C-alpha cells in the first residue's frame, strides 16, 4: 500500500523554487547588463537565504539543520556505504545544501558592496573604502563561478538519483510528500513527518515579512 509522508513543508518548497528562480534571474540579468534589475534579484536571493537560515532553526523536522547536518562520522559512513534510512537530506545532500546557502550568502553580501565604477553602486558600498569595495566586487565576480559549479553539481546529483538510482527527489520537492512504497530498499525507518499545517506556514510568512521589511529599511533604503 502507498504511504505518503510529508517531508518538505510548504515554506521550504516555496523557498526552494523561488530561490532557483531568483538566482537564475540574477544570472540572466547581469548577462544582459541590466544591473539594476540584477540587484533586485540579488536582494530577493538575500532575503530568501536569510529566511532559510532562520527556518533551519525554527522550521519543522526535516527543514532543521539539527536534523540533517551530518557529523564527520555520519558523512564518512555514508560515503563508504551510501544508504540513508531517514526521510530528509542524506549527508552528502546536506553538504550541498549548506554549500549552496553559503555561496549565495557570500554572493549577495558582497553584491551589496559592489561598485562597477560605471553607473552602479551597491547600497552599502559607501560604508567601505573604494579599495574594499573593489575587493568585494572581485570576490562577487569570483564567487559567481562557485555558484555555477555548485548548482551544476546539484542538478547532476538530482539527475543521477532520478535516472540511475531510480529515486524521484523532484516530486517531493513539488508536492511535499515522499511515497514510501516507491523507495528502494533504503526505506526510511525514521518516519517522522514534517509539520506543515497553516500555523507553521503562517509563522514562515511572519518571519519572511520581518526579514524583508528589515532588509528594505536597513539595506535598500539606507
Ligand atoms: C539555481 C538553481 C537551484 C538552486 C540554487 C537550488 C538550491 C537548493 C537548495 C538550497 C536545496 C535545499 C532545500 C532546503 O532544504 O531548503 C535544494 C534541494 C533540492 N533541489 Fe534544488 N536548487 C536549484 C535548482 C533545482 C532544480 C532545477 C531542481 C529540479 C530539477 C532542483 C531539485 C531539488 C531537489 C529534488 C531537492 C531536494 C533534494 C533532497 O531530496 O535532498 N533544484 N536545492
Ligand atoms: C544571488 C545573488 C547574485 C548573483 C547570483 C549574482 C551574480 C553576478 C554575476 C554572475 C556577475 C558577473 C560577474 C563577472 O563579471 O564575472 C555579477 C556582477 C555584478 N553584481 Fe551580482 N549577483 C548577485 C547579487 C547581487 C547584488 C545583491 C548586487 C547589488 C546590490 C549585485 C551587483 C552586481 C554588480 C554591480 C555587478 C557588476 C560588477 C562589475 O562589473 O564590476 N549582485 N553578479
Amino acid at each position: 500500500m502507498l504511504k505518503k509522508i510529508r517531508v518538505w513543508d510548504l515554506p521550504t518548497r516555496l523557498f526552494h523554487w523561488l530561490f532557483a528562480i531568483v538566482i537564475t534571474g540574477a544570472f540572466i540579468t547581469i548577462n544582459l547588463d541590466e544591473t539594476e534589475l540584477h540587484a533586485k534579484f540579488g536582494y530577493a536571493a538575500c532575503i530568501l537565504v536569510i529566511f532559510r537560515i532562520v527556518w533551519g532553526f525554527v522550521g519543522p523536522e526535516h527543514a532543521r539543520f539539527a536534523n540533517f547536518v551530518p557529523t564527520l562520522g555520519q558523512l564518512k559512513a555514508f560515503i563508504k556505504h551510501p544508504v540513508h534510512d531517514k526521510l530528509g537530506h542524506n549527508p552528502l545532500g546536506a553538504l550541498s545544501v549548506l554549500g549552496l546557502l553559503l555561496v549565495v550568502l557570500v554572493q549577495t553580501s558582497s553584491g551589496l558592496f559592489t561598485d562597477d565604477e560605471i553607473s552602479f553602486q551597491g547600497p552599502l558600498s559607501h560604508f567601505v573604502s573604494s579599495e574594499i569595495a573593489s575587493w568585494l566586487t572581485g570576490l562577487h565576480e569570483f564567487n559567481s563561478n562557485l555558484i555555477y559549479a555548485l548548482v551544476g553539481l546539484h542538478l547532476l546529483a538530482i539527475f543521477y538519483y532520478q535516472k540511475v538510482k531510480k529515486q524521484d527527489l523532484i516530486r517531493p520537492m513539488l508536492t511535499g510528500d515522499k511515497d514510501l512504497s516507491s523507495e528502494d530498499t533504503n526505506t526510511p525507518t525514521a518516519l517522522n513527518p514534517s509539520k506543515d499545517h497553516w500555523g507553521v506556514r503562517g509563522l514562515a510568512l511572519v518571519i519572511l515579512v520581518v526579514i524583508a521589511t528589515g532588509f528594505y529599511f536597513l539595506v535598500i533604503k539606507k
Side-chain angles (χ1 to χ4, degrees), residues 204-218:
L205 187 62
V206 171
I207 293 173
L208 184 67
V209 169
V210 169
I211 294 171
T213 311
F215 190 83
Y216 179 73
F217 286 107
L218 294 173

Side-chain angles (χ1 to χ4, degrees), residues 22-23 26-27 30-31 35 38-39 41-43 45-46 104 107-108 111-117 120 122-123 137 140-142 144 147-148:
V22 298
I23 288 171
F27 277 117
I30 199 66
N31 284 304
T35 313
H38 170 76
F41 277 110
Y43 298 147
C46 194
V104 175
Q107 191 69 8
T108 53
L112 301 177
F113 295 91
T114 46
D115 184 346
D116 70 0
E117 288 162 10
F120 184 88
T137 308
H140 191 75
E141 288 171 4
F142 169 77
S144 63
I147 302 190
Y148 283 123

Side-chain angles (χ1 to χ4, degrees), residues 88-174:
H89 300 299
N90 70 42
L92 272 184
L95 277 197
S96 116
V97 174
L98 295 181
L100 281 164
L101 295 179
L102 184 70
V103 286
V104 175
L105 192 63
V106 170
Q107 191 69 8
T108 53
S109 322
S110 56
L112 301 177
F113 295 91
T114 46
D115 184 346
D116 70 0
E117 288 162 10
I118 310 168
S119 58
F120 184 88
Q121 288 182 317
L124 302 184
S125 60
H126 55 276
F127 285 113
V128 295
S129 65
S130 60
E131 288 78 30
I132 291 181
S134 121
W135 188 82
L136 288 168
T137 308
L139 175 66
H140 191 75
E141 288 171 4
F142 169 77
N143 190 64
S144 63
N145 300 312
L146 297 185
I147 302 190
Y148 283 123
L150 284 190
V151 169
L153 210 59
H154 178 60
L155 297 181
L156 275 179
I158 305 284
F159 183 77
Y160 170 77
Y161 269 86
Q162 212 75 14
K163 297 286 167 206
V164 181
K165 296 196 83 178
K166 305 281 181 223
Q167 266 187 44
D168 186 358
L169 300 180
I170 300 175
R171 204 173 51 87
M173 209 21 119
L174 288 164

